[in-house]
Coordinates of all heavy atoms in Angstrom, one line a residue:
M261 N 88.1 67.5 -42.7 CA 88.2 66.0 -43.0 C 89.6 65.4 -42.6 O 89.6 64.3 -42.1 CB 87.9 65.9 -44.5 CG 87.7 64.5 -44.9 SD 86.2 64.0 -44.2 CE 86.1 62.2 -44.8
P262 N 90.6 66.0 -42.7 CA 92.0 65.5 -42.3 C 92.0 65.2 -40.9 O 92.5 64.3 -40.4 CB 93.0 66.5 -42.7 CG 92.4 67.4 -43.8 CD 91.0 67.3 -43.5
V263 N 91.4 66.1 -40.0 CA 91.3 65.8 -38.7 C 90.6 64.6 -38.2 O 91.0 63.8 -37.4 CB 90.7 67.0 -37.9 CG1 90.5 66.9 -36.4 CG2 91.5 68.4 -38.2
V264 N 89.3 64.4 -39.0 CA 88.7 63.2 -38.6 C 89.4 61.9 -39.0 O 89.5 61.0 -38.1 CB 87.2 63.3 -39.3 CG1 86.5 61.9 -39.2 CG2 86.5 64.4 -38.9
L265 N 90.1 61.9 -40.1 CA 90.8 60.9 -40.5 C 92.0 60.6 -39.6 O 92.2 59.5 -39.3 CB 91.4 61.1 -42.0 CG 92.2 60.0 -42.6 CD1 91.2 58.8 -42.8 CD2 92.8 60.3 -44.0
G266 N 92.6 61.7 -39.0 CA 93.7 61.5 -38.0 C 93.2 61.0 -36.8 O 93.9 60.0 -36.2
L267 N 92.0 61.3 -36.4 CA 91.5 60.8 -35.2 C 91.1 59.3 -35.3 O 91.3 58.5 -34.4 CB 90.3 61.6 -34.7 CG 90.5 63.0 -34.1 CD1 89.2 63.7 -33.9 CD2 91.4 62.9 -33.0
V268 N 90.7 58.9 -36.4 CA 90.2 57.5 -36.7 C 91.6 56.7 -36.8 O 91.5 55.6 -36.2 CB 89.5 57.4 -38.0 CG1 89.3 55.9 -38.5 CG2 88.1 57.9 -37.9
L269 N 92.6 57.2 -37.3 CA 93.9 56.5 -37.4 C 94.4 56.3 -36.1 O 94.8 55.3 -35.6 CB 94.9 57.2 -38.4 CG 96.2 56.4 -38.6 CD1 95.9 55.1 -39.1 CD2 97.2 57.4 -39.4
L270 N 94.4 57.4 -35.2 CA 94.8 57.4 -33.9 C 94.1 56.3 -33.0 O 94.7 55.5 -32.2 CB 94.7 58.7 -33.2 CG 95.1 58.8 -31.6 CD1 96.7 58.5 -31.6 CD2 94.8 60.1 -31.2
A271 N 92.6 56.3 -33.2 CA 91.9 55.4 -32.3 C 92.2 53.9 -32.9 O 92.4 53.0 -32.0 CB 90.4 55.7 -32.7
F272 N 92.4 53.7 -34.1 CA 92.8 52.3 -34.6 C 94.1 51.9 -34.0 O 94.4 50.8 -33.6 CB 92.8 52.3 -36.1 CG 93.2 51.1 -36.8 CD1 92.6 50.0 -36.6 CD2 94.5 51.0 -37.4 CE1 92.9 48.7 -37.2 CE2 95.0 49.9 -37.9 CZ 94.1 48.6 -37.9
W273 N 95.1 52.8 -34.1 CA 96.4 52.5 -33.6 C 96.4 52.2 -32.1 O 97.1 51.3 -31.6 CB 97.3 53.8 -33.9 CG 98.7 53.5 -33.4 CD1 99.6 52.7 -33.9 CD2 99.3 54.1 -32.2 NE1 100.8 52.8 -33.1 CE2 100.7 53.7 -32.2 CE3 98.8 54.9 -31.3 CZ2 101.5 54.1 -31.1 CZ3 99.7 55.4 -30.2 CH2 101.0 55.0 -30.2
L274 N 95.8 53.0 -31.4 CA 95.7 52.9 -29.8 C 94.8 51.4 -29.6 O 95.2 50.7 -28.7 CB 94.8 53.9 -29.1 CG 95.6 55.2 -29.1 CD1 94.8 56.2 -28.5 CD2 96.8 54.9 -28.2
Y275 N 93.8 51.1 -30.4 CA 93.2 49.9 -30.2 C 94.0 48.7 -30.5 O 94.1 47.7 -29.6 CB 91.9 49.7 -31.1 CG 91.3 48.4 -31.2 CD1 90.5 47.8 -30.2 CD2 91.6 47.5 -32.3 CE1 89.9 46.6 -30.2 CE2 91.1 46.2 -32.2 CZ 90.3 45.8 -31.3 OH 89.7 44.4 -31.3
C276 N 94.8 48.7 -31.6 CA 95.7 47.6 -32.0 C 96.8 47.6 -30.9 O 97.2 46.4 -30.4 CB 96.3 47.9 -33.3 SG 95.2 47.6 -34.5
L277 N 97.4 48.6 -30.3 CA 98.4 48.6 -29.3 C 97.9 47.9 -28.1 O 98.6 47.2 -27.6 CB 98.9 50.1 -29.2 CG 100.1 50.2 -28.2 CD1 101.3 49.4 -28.6 CD2 100.5 51.6 -28.0
F278 N 96.7 48.4 -27.6 CA 96.2 47.9 -26.4 C 95.9 46.3 -26.6 O 96.1 45.5 -25.6 CB 94.9 48.7 -26.1 CG 94.3 48.2 -24.9 CD1 94.7 48.5 -23.7 CD2 93.1 47.3 -24.9 CE1 94.2 48.0 -22.4 CE2 92.6 46.8 -23.7 CZ 93.0 47.2 -22.5
D279 N 95.4 46.0 -27.7 CA 95.2 44.5 -27.9 C 96.4 43.7 -28.0 O 96.4 42.7 -27.5 CB 94.4 44.4 -29.3 CG 93.7 43.1 -29.6 OD1 93.2 42.5 -28.5 OD2 93.8 42.6 -30.7
V280 N 97.4 44.3 -28.5 CA 98.7 43.5 -28.5 C 99.3 43.4 -27.0 O 99.7 42.3 -26.6 CB 99.8 44.1 -29.3 CG1 101.2 43.5 -29.2 CG2 99.4 44.1 -30.8
I281 N 99.1 44.4 -26.4 CA 99.7 44.5 -25.0 C 98.9 43.4 -24.1 O 99.6 42.9 -23.2 CB 99.7 45.9 -24.5 CG1 100.8 46.7 -25.2 CG2 100.0 46.0 -23.0 CD1 100.8 48.1 -24.8
T282 N 97.5 43.5 -24.3 CA 96.8 42.6 -23.4 C 96.6 41.2 -23.8 O 96.2 40.4 -23.1 CB 95.4 43.3 -23.3 OG1 94.8 43.4 -24.6 CG2 95.3 44.5 -22.6
T283 N 97.2 40.9 -25.0 CA 97.2 39.6 -25.5 C 98.3 38.7 -24.8 O 99.5 39.1 -24.8 CB 97.4 39.3 -27.0 OG1 96.3 40.0 -27.7 CG2 97.4 37.9 -27.5
P284 N 98.0 37.5 -24.2 CA 99.0 36.6 -23.5 C 100.0 36.3 -24.7 O 99.7 36.1 -25.8 CB 98.2 35.5 -23.0 CG 96.8 35.9 -23.0 CD 96.6 36.9 -24.0
D285 N 101.2 36.2 -24.1 CA 102.5 35.8 -24.9 C 102.2 34.6 -25.8 O 102.5 34.5 -26.9 CB 103.7 35.7 -24.1 CG 104.2 37.0 -23.4 OD1 103.8 38.0 -24.0 OD2 105.0 36.9 -22.6
E286 N 101.7 33.6 -25.1 CA 101.6 32.3 -25.8 C 100.4 32.2 -26.9 O 100.4 31.3 -27.6 CB 101.4 31.2 -24.8 CG 100.0 31.4 -24.0 CD 100.2 32.2 -22.7 OE1 101.2 32.7 -22.4 OE2 99.2 32.3 -22.0
E287 N 99.7 33.2 -26.9 CA 98.5 33.3 -27.9 C 98.8 34.1 -29.2 O 98.0 34.0 -30.1 CB 97.3 33.9 -27.2 CG 96.8 32.8 -26.2 CD 95.4 33.4 -25.7 OE1 94.7 34.3 -26.3 OE2 94.9 32.9 -24.6
T288 N 100.0 34.8 -29.1 CA 100.2 35.6 -30.4 C 100.8 34.6 -31.4 O 101.3 33.6 -31.3 CB 101.3 36.6 -30.2 OG1 102.4 35.9 -29.6 CG2 100.9 37.7 -29.2
R289 N 100.4 35.0 -32.7 CA 100.7 34.1 -33.9 C 101.9 34.7 -34.6 O 102.1 35.9 -34.6 CB 99.6 33.9 -34.9 CG 98.4 33.3 -34.2 CD 97.3 33.1 -35.3 NE 96.7 34.3 -35.5 CZ 96.3 34.6 -36.9 NH1 96.4 33.6 -37.8 NH2 95.8 35.8 -37.1
N290 N 102.7 33.9 -35.2 CA 103.8 34.2 -36.2 C 105.1 34.9 -35.6 O 106.2 34.7 -36.2 CB 103.2 35.0 -37.4 CG 102.2 34.3 -38.1 OD1 102.3 33.1 -38.3 ND2 101.2 34.9 -38.6
L291 N 104.9 35.7 -34.7 CA 106.0 36.5 -34.2 C 105.9 36.6 -32.5 O 104.8 36.5 -32.1 CB 106.2 37.9 -34.7 CG 106.5 38.1 -36.1 CD1 106.4 39.4 -36.6 CD2 107.9 37.6 -36.4
P292 N 107.0 36.8 -31.9 CA 106.9 37.1 -30.5 C 106.1 38.3 -30.2 O 106.1 39.3 -30.9 CB 108.2 37.1 -30.1 CG 109.2 36.5 -31.1 CD 108.4 36.7 -32.4
K293 N 105.5 38.4 -29.0 CA 104.8 39.5 -28.6 C 105.5 40.8 -28.7 O 104.9 42.0 -29.2 CB 104.2 39.3 -27.2 CG 103.3 40.5 -26.8 CD 102.8 40.0 -25.3 CE 101.9 41.2 -24.8 NZ 101.4 40.8 -23.5
I294 N 106.7 40.9 -28.3 CA 107.4 42.1 -28.2 C 107.7 42.7 -29.6 O 107.6 43.9 -29.9 CB 108.9 41.9 -27.4 CG1 109.5 43.2 -27.3 CG2 109.7 40.9 -28.1 CD1 108.8 44.2 -26.3
L295 N 107.9 41.8 -30.6 CA 108.0 42.2 -32.0 C 106.7 42.7 -32.5 O 106.7 43.8 -33.2 CB 108.5 41.0 -32.9 CG 110.0 40.6 -32.7 CD1 110.4 39.5 -33.6 CD2 110.8 41.8 -33.0
W296 N 105.6 42.2 -32.0 CA 104.3 42.7 -32.4 C 104.2 44.2 -31.9 O 103.6 45.1 -32.6 CB 103.1 41.8 -32.1 CG 103.0 40.7 -33.1 CD1 103.1 39.4 -32.8 CD2 102.7 40.7 -34.4 NE1 103.0 38.6 -33.9 CE2 102.6 39.4 -35.0 CE3 102.5 41.8 -35.3 CZ2 102.3 39.2 -36.4 CZ3 102.2 41.6 -36.7 CH2 102.1 40.3 -37.1
V297 N 104.5 44.3 -30.7 CA 104.4 45.7 -30.0 C 105.2 46.7 -30.8 O 104.7 47.7 -31.2 CB 104.9 45.7 -28.6 CG1 104.9 47.0 -28.0 CG2 103.9 44.8 -27.8
L298 N 106.4 46.3 -31.2 CA 107.4 47.2 -32.0 C 106.8 47.5 -33.4 O 106.8 48.6 -33.9 CB 108.8 46.6 -32.0 CG 109.5 46.5 -30.8 CD1 110.8 45.7 -31.0 CD2 109.7 47.8 -30.1
I299 N 106.3 46.5 -34.0 CA 105.7 46.7 -35.3 C 104.4 47.6 -35.3 O 104.3 48.7 -36.1 CB 105.2 45.3 -36.0 CG1 106.5 44.5 -36.4 CG2 104.3 45.6 -37.2 CD1 106.2 43.2 -36.9
V300 N 103.6 47.4 -34.3 CA 102.4 48.3 -34.3 C 102.9 49.7 -33.8 O 102.3 50.8 -34.3 CB 101.4 47.8 -33.0 CG1 100.3 48.8 -32.8 CG2 100.7 46.4 -33.8
V301 N 103.8 49.9 -32.9 CA 104.2 51.1 -32.5 C 104.9 52.0 -33.7 O 104.7 53.1 -33.9 CB 105.2 51.1 -31.3 CG1 106.0 52.5 -31.0 CG2 104.4 50.6 -30.1
F302 N 105.9 51.3 -34.4 CA 106.7 52.1 -35.4 C 106.1 52.2 -36.8 O 106.5 52.9 -37.5 CB 107.9 51.5 -35.3 CG 108.9 51.8 -34.1 CD1 109.3 50.8 -33.3 CD2 109.1 53.1 -33.7 CE1 110.0 51.0 -32.1 CE2 109.7 53.4 -32.5 CZ 110.2 52.4 -31.7
V303 N 105.3 51.2 -37.0 CA 104.7 51.2 -38.4 C 103.2 51.4 -38.2 O 102.2 50.6 -38.2 CB 104.8 49.8 -39.3 CG1 104.4 49.9 -40.6 CG2 106.3 49.4 -39.1
V304 N 102.8 52.7 -37.9 CA 101.6 53.1 -37.4 C 100.3 52.5 -38.1 O 99.6 51.8 -37.4 CB 101.3 54.7 -37.3 CG1 100.1 55.1 -36.8 CG2 102.5 55.2 -36.3
G305 N 100.1 52.8 -39.3 CA 99.0 52.3 -39.9 C 98.9 50.9 -40.3 O 97.9 50.1 -40.0
I306 N 100.0 50.5 -41.1 CA 100.1 49.1 -41.5 C 100.3 48.1 -40.4 O 99.9 47.0 -40.5 CB 101.2 49.0 -42.6 CG1 100.9 50.1 -43.8 CG2 101.2 47.7 -43.2 CD1 99.7 49.8 -44.5
G307 N 101.0 48.5 -39.5 CA 101.3 47.6 -38.3 C 100.2 47.0 -37.6 O 100.1 46.0 -37.3
G308 N 99.1 47.9 -37.4 CA 97.8 47.6 -36.9 C 97.1 46.5 -37.7 O 96.6 45.5 -37.2
V309 N 97.1 46.7 -39.1 CA 96.5 45.9 -39.9 C 97.1 44.4 -39.9 O 96.7 43.4 -40.0 CB 96.5 46.4 -41.4 CG1 96.1 45.4 -42.4 CG2 95.6 47.7 -41.4
F310 N 98.6 44.6 -39.9 CA 99.3 43.3 -39.8 C 99.0 42.4 -38.6 O 98.9 41.2 -38.6 CB 100.9 43.6 -39.9 CG 101.4 43.8 -41.2 CD1 102.6 44.6 -41.5 CD2 100.7 43.5 -42.4 CE1 103.1 44.9 -42.6 CE2 101.2 43.8 -43.6 CZ 102.5 44.5 -43.7
W311 N 98.9 43.2 -37.5 CA 98.6 42.6 -36.3 C 97.2 41.8 -36.2 O 97.0 40.7 -36.0 CB 98.6 43.6 -35.1 CG 97.8 43.1 -33.8 CD1 96.5 43.5 -33.4 CD2 98.2 41.9 -32.9 NE1 96.2 42.8 -32.3 CE2 97.3 41.8 -32.0 CE3 99.4 41.1 -32.9 CZ2 97.3 40.9 -31.1 CZ3 99.4 40.3 -31.9 CH2 98.3 40.1 -31.0
L312 N 96.2 42.5 -36.7 CA 94.8 41.9 -36.8 C 94.8 40.7 -37.8 O 94.0 39.8 -37.6 CB 93.8 43.0 -37.3 CG 93.6 44.2 -36.3 CD1 92.7 45.3 -37.0 CD2 93.0 43.6 -35.0
L313 N 95.6 40.8 -39.0 CA 95.5 39.7 -39.9 C 96.5 38.6 -39.5 O 96.1 37.5 -39.8 CB 95.8 40.3 -41.2 CG 94.9 41.2 -41.9 CD1 95.4 41.8 -43.2 CD2 93.4 40.6 -41.9
L314 N 97.6 38.9 -39.0 CA 98.7 37.9 -38.8 C 99.1 37.6 -37.4 O 99.6 36.4 -37.3 CB 99.9 38.2 -39.6 CG 99.8 38.7 -41.0 CD1 101.0 39.2 -41.7 CD2 99.4 37.4 -41.8
G315 N 98.8 38.5 -36.6 CA 99.3 38.2 -35.2 C 98.3 37.9 -34.1 O 98.5 37.3 -33.1
R316 N 97.1 38.5 -34.3 CA 96.0 38.3 -33.3 C 95.7 37.0 -33.1 O 95.6 36.1 -34.1 CB 94.8 39.1 -33.8 CG 93.9 39.3 -32.6 CD 92.9 40.5 -33.0 NE 92.2 40.9 -31.9 CZ 91.0 41.0 -31.8 NH1 90.2 40.7 -32.9 NH2 90.4 41.5 -30.8
P317 N 95.3 36.4 -31.8 CA 95.0 35.0 -31.7 C 93.6 34.7 -32.6 O 92.7 35.7 -32.7 CB 94.6 34.9 -30.2 CG 95.2 36.1 -29.6 CD 95.4 37.2 -30.6
Y318 N 93.5 33.5 -32.8 CA 92.1 33.1 -33.5 C 91.0 33.2 -32.6 O 91.1 33.2 -31.4 CB 92.2 31.6 -33.9 CG 93.2 31.3 -35.0 CD1 94.4 30.6 -34.8 CD2 93.1 31.9 -36.4 CE1 95.3 30.5 -35.8 CE2 94.0 31.7 -37.3 CZ 95.2 30.9 -37.2 OH 96.0 30.7 -38.1
A319 N 89.9 33.5 -33.1 CA 88.7 33.7 -32.3 C 88.1 32.4 -31.5 O 87.4 32.6 -30.6 CB 87.5 34.1 -33.2
S320 N 88.7 31.3 -32.0 CA 88.3 30.1 -31.3 C 88.8 29.9 -29.9 O 88.5 29.1 -29.1 CB 88.6 28.9 -32.1 OG 90.0 28.8 -32.3
T321 N 90.0 30.5 -29.6 CA 90.5 30.5 -28.3 C 89.9 31.6 -27.5 O 90.1 32.8 -27.6 CB 92.0 30.8 -28.4 OG1 92.4 32.0 -28.9 CG2 92.9 29.7 -29.1
P322 N 89.1 31.2 -26.4 CA 88.4 32.3 -25.7 C 89.4 32.9 -24.7 O 90.4 32.3 -24.2 CB 87.4 31.4 -24.8 CG 87.9 30.0 -24.8 CD 88.8 29.9 -26.1
R323 N 89.4 34.1 -24.6 CA 90.2 35.0 -23.8 C 89.2 35.4 -22.5 O 88.2 35.8 -22.8 CB 90.9 36.1 -24.5 CG 91.9 35.6 -25.3 CD 92.7 36.7 -26.1 NE 92.4 38.1 -25.7 CZ 92.8 39.0 -26.3 NH1 93.5 38.9 -27.4 NH2 92.7 40.2 -26.0
M324 N 89.8 35.5 -21.3 CA 89.1 36.1 -20.3 C 89.0 37.6 -20.3 O 90.0 38.3 -20.4 CB 89.7 35.6 -19.0 CG 89.7 34.2 -18.6 SD 88.1 33.6 -18.4 CE 87.8 34.1 -16.7
A325 N 87.8 38.1 -20.5 CA 87.6 39.5 -20.6 C 87.3 40.0 -19.1 O 87.0 39.3 -18.2 CB 86.3 40.0 -21.4
F326 N 87.5 41.2 -18.9 CA 87.4 41.8 -17.6 C 85.9 41.6 -17.2 O 85.0 41.8 -17.9 CB 87.7 43.4 -17.7 CG 87.5 44.0 -16.5 CD1 88.3 43.9 -15.4 CD2 86.4 44.9 -16.3 CE1 88.1 44.4 -14.2 CE2 86.2 45.5 -15.0 CZ 87.1 45.2 -13.9
G327 N 85.7 41.1 -16.0 CA 84.3 40.9 -15.5 C 83.7 39.7 -15.9 O 82.5 39.3 -15.6
S328 N 84.4 38.8 -16.7 CA 83.8 37.5 -17.2 C 84.1 36.4 -16.1 O 84.9 36.6 -15.2 CB 84.3 37.1 -18.4 OG 85.7 36.8 -18.4
G329 N 83.5 35.3 -16.2 CA 83.7 34.3 -15.3 C 82.6 34.2 -14.3 O 81.6 35.0 -14.4
P330 N 82.6 33.4 -13.2 CA 81.6 33.3 -12.3 C 81.5 34.6 -11.5 O 82.5 35.2 -11.1 CB 82.1 32.2 -11.5 CG 83.4 31.9 -11.6 CD 83.7 32.5 -13.0
R331 N 80.4 35.1 -11.3 CA 80.2 36.3 -10.5 C 79.9 36.0 -9.1 O 79.4 35.0 -8.7 CB 78.9 37.1 -11.1 CG 79.1 37.4 -12.6 CD 77.9 38.2 -13.1 NE 77.9 39.5 -12.6 CZ 77.0 40.4 -12.6 NH1 75.8 40.2 -13.2 NH2 77.1 41.6 -12.1
P332 N 80.5 36.8 -8.1 CA 80.4 36.6 -6.8 C 79.0 36.8 -6.3 O 78.2 37.4 -7.0 CB 81.3 37.5 -6.1 CG 81.5 38.6 -7.1 CD 81.4 37.9 -8.5
Q333 N 78.5 36.1 -5.3 CA 77.2 36.2 -4.6 C 77.1 37.7 -4.2 O 77.7 38.2 -3.5 CB 77.0 35.2 -3.6 CG 75.6 35.4 -3.1 CD 74.6 34.6 -3.9 OE1 75.0 33.9 -4.8 NE2 73.4 34.8 -3.6
V334 N 76.0 38.3 -4.9 CA 75.8 39.7 -4.5 C 74.8 39.7 -3.4 O 73.8 38.9 -3.3 CB 74.8 40.4 -5.8 CG1 74.6 41.8 -5.5 CG2 75.8 40.3 -7.0
P335 N 75.1 40.6 -2.4 CA 74.3 40.7 -1.2 C 72.8 41.1 -1.6 O 72.6 41.9 -2.3 CB 75.0 41.7 -0.3 CG 76.1 42.2 -1.0 CD 76.3 41.5 -2.4
R336 N 71.9 40.5 -1.0 CA 70.5 40.8 -1.3 C 69.9 41.6 -0.1 O 70.3 41.4 1.0 CB 69.7 39.5 -1.4 CG 70.1 38.6 -2.6 CD 69.3 37.3 -2.8 NE 68.5 37.0 -1.7 CZ 67.9 35.8 -1.7 NH1 68.0 35.0 -2.7 NH2 67.3 35.4 -0.6
G337 N 69.0 42.4 -0.5 CA 68.4 43.3 0.4 C 67.4 42.3 1.4 O 67.0 41.3 0.9
P338 N 67.1 42.8 2.5 CA 66.1 41.9 3.4 C 64.7 41.7 2.8 O 64.1 40.6 2.9 CB 66.0 42.8 4.6 CG 66.8 44.0 4.4 CD 67.5 43.9 3.2
D339 N 64.2 42.7 1.9 CA 63.0 42.6 1.3 C 63.0 41.5 0.1 O 62.0 41.3 -0.4 CB 62.4 43.8 0.9 CG 63.4 44.6 -0.1 OD1 64.6 44.3 -0.1 OD2 62.9 45.4 -0.9
D340 N 64.2 41.0 -0.2 CA 64.4 40.1 -1.4 C 64.5 38.6 -0.8 O 64.5 37.6 -1.6 CB 65.6 40.2 -2.2 CG 65.5 41.6 -3.1 OD1 64.3 42.0 -3.4 OD2 66.4 42.2 -3.5
D341 N 64.6 38.5 0.6 CA 64.9 37.2 1.1 C 63.5 36.7 1.7 O 63.1 37.1 2.6 CB 65.9 37.4 2.2 CG 66.5 36.2 2.9 OD1 66.0 35.1 2.4 OD2 67.0 36.2 3.9
P342 N 63.1 35.6 1.1 CA 61.8 35.0 1.5 C 61.8 34.5 2.9 O 60.9 34.6 3.6 CB 61.4 33.9 0.5 CG 62.7 33.8 -0.2 CD 63.6 34.9 -0.1
E343 N 63.0 34.0 3.4 CA 63.1 33.5 4.8 C 63.0 34.7 5.7 O 62.2 34.7 6.9 CB 64.3 32.9 5.0 CG 64.5 31.5 4.3 CD 65.8 30.9 4.4 OE1 66.4 31.3 5.5 OE2 66.2 30.0 3.7
F344 N 63.5 35.9 5.5 CA 63.4 37.0 6.3 C 62.1 37.6 6.4 O 61.6 37.9 7.4 CB 64.5 38.2 5.7 CG 64.3 39.4 6.5 CD1 65.0 39.6 7.7 CD2 63.6 40.5 6.0 CE1 64.9 40.7 8.5 CE2 63.5 41.6 6.7 CZ 64.1 41.7 7.9
L345 N 61.4 37.6 5.2 CA 60.0 38.1 5.2 C 59.1 37.2 6.1 O 58.3 37.7 6.7 CB 59.6 38.2 3.7 CG 60.3 39.3 2.8 CD1 59.8 39.2 1.4 CD2 60.1 40.6 3.4
A346 N 59.3 36.0 5.9 CA 58.3 34.9 6.6 C 58.6 35.1 8.1 O 57.7 35.2 8.9 CB 58.7 33.5 6.2
D347 N 59.9 35.3 8.5 CA 60.2 35.4 10.0 C 59.8 36.8 10.4 O 59.2 36.9 11.5 CB 61.7 35.4 10.1 CG 62.1 35.5 11.6 OD1 61.6 34.7 12.3 OD2 62.9 36.4 11.9
L348 N 59.8 37.8 9.5 CA 59.2 39.2 10.0 C 57.8 39.1 10.2 O 57.2 39.5 11.2 CB 59.6 40.2 9.0 CG 59.2 41.5 9.2 CD1 59.8 42.2 10.5 CD2 59.5 42.5 8.0
E349 N 57.1 38.4 9.3 CA 55.7 38.4 9.4 C 55.2 37.4 10.7 O 54.4 37.9 11.2 CB 55.2 37.7 8.2 CG 53.6 37.7 8.0 CD 53.0 37.1 6.6 OE1 53.8 37.4 5.7 OE2 52.1 36.5 6.6
R350 N 56.0 36.4 11.0 CA 55.8 35.7 12.0 C 56.0 36.5 13.4 O 55.1 36.3 14.3 CB 56.6 34.4 12.1 CG 56.4 33.5 13.4 CD 57.5 32.4 13.4 NE 58.8 32.9 13.5 CZ 59.5 33.5 14.4 NH1 58.8 33.6 15.7 NH2 60.7 33.9 14.4
R351 N 57.0 37.2 13.3 CA 57.3 38.0 14.5 C 56.2 39.2 14.7 O 55.8 39.5 15.9 CB 58.6 38.8 14.6 CG 59.7 37.7 14.7 CD 61.2 38.4 14.8 NE 61.3 39.3 13.9 CZ 62.4 40.0 13.5 NH1 63.5 39.7 14.2 NH2 62.5 40.8 12.5
L352 N 55.6 39.7 13.7 CA 54.7 40.7 13.7 C 53.4 40.2 14.2 O 52.7 40.8 15.0 CB 54.4 41.4 12.3 CG 55.5 42.4 11.9 CD1 55.3 42.9 10.4 CD2 55.7 43.6 12.8
R353 N 53.0 38.9 13.8 CA 51.8 38.3 14.2 C 51.9 38.0 15.8 O 51.0 38.2 16.5 CB 51.5 37.0 13.5 CG 50.7 37.3 12.2 CD 50.2 35.9 11.7 NE 51.1 35.7 10.5 CZ 51.8 34.6 10.1 NH1 51.6 33.6 11.0 NH2 52.5 34.6 9.2
E354 N 53.1 37.7 16.2 CA 53.4 37.4 17.6 C 53.2 38.6 18.4 O 52.6 38.6 19.6 CB 54.7 36.7 17.9 CG 54.8 35.3 17.4 CD 56.2 34.7 17.6 OE1 57.1 35.5 18.1 OE2 56.3 33.4 17.2
E355 N 53.7 39.7 17.9 CA 53.5 41.0 18.8 C 52.1 41.4 18.8 O 51.7 42.0 19.8 CB 54.5 42.0 18.0 CG 55.8 42.0 18.3 CD 56.6 43.0 17.6 OE1 55.9 44.1 17.1 OE2 57.8 43.1 17.5
D356 N 51.3 41.2 17.7 CA 49.9 41.5 17.8 C 49.1 40.9 18.8 O 48.1 41.2 19.3 CB 49.3 41.5 16.4 CG 49.7 42.5 15.6 OD1 50.3 43.6 16.0 OD2 49.6 42.3 14.3
K357 N 49.6 39.7 19.2 CA 48.7 38.7 20.2 C 48.9 39.2 21.6 O 49.5 39.9 22.0 CB 49.2 37.3 20.1 CG 48.9 36.7 18.7 CD 49.4 35.3 18.8 CE 49.0 34.6 17.4 NZ 49.3 33.3 17.4

């Protein structure tokens, strides 16, 4: 049981540390970002709780997540393109004549 508790604490600490590091400087609350990093690193259990309650940006400010935003046009296969299929059908009919 102590091993599981230690792994949960480690995962929580890593989550909070990663969250502090990836949060933009201007969105941190109450303290500068570097101080939040130091608090989370040196005050292992309580520092993460402090970050989540006092330093993390409010949920109303949307942050860009990895992969969010407009997606680039994905190349389509020829069998998904109705123009290509119509042209192919037309060419096949011309060859049969």
Side-chain angles (χ1 to χ4, degrees):
M261 190 66 176
V263 173
V264 173
L265 185 61
L267 289 174
V268 168
L269 184 62
L270 177 66
F272 176 70
W273 180 75
L274 286 173
Y275 169 77
C276 290
L277 183 61
F278 181 76
D279 194 37
V280 171
I281 292 171
T282 58
T283 299
D285 293 343
E286 63 275 357
E287 291 184 17
T288 58
R289 295 184 295 143
N290 298 321
L291 292 174
K293 181 178 175 175
I294 189 69
L295 286 178
W296 280 118
V297 171
L298 294 174
I299 289 170
V300 170
V301 167
F302 291 118
V303 187
V304 176
I306 305 298
V309 174
F310 284 159
W311 162 250
L312 293 177
L313 295 176
L314 303 172
R316 195 163 197 238
Y318 291 114
S320 63
T321 56
R323 291 183 7 193
M324 293 295 286
F326 179 74
S328 66
R331 297 179 79 185
Q333 183 73 14
V334 177
R336 297 184 340 190
D339 56 337
D340 292 336
D341 186 5
E343 291 176 24
F344 174 80
L345 292 175
D347 184 54
L348 180 64
E349 191 172 323
R350 182 188 54 78
R351 288 189 315 194
L352 286 174
R353 272 190 258 130
E354 287 177 1
E355 283 183 11
D356 286 343
K357 290 182 181 181

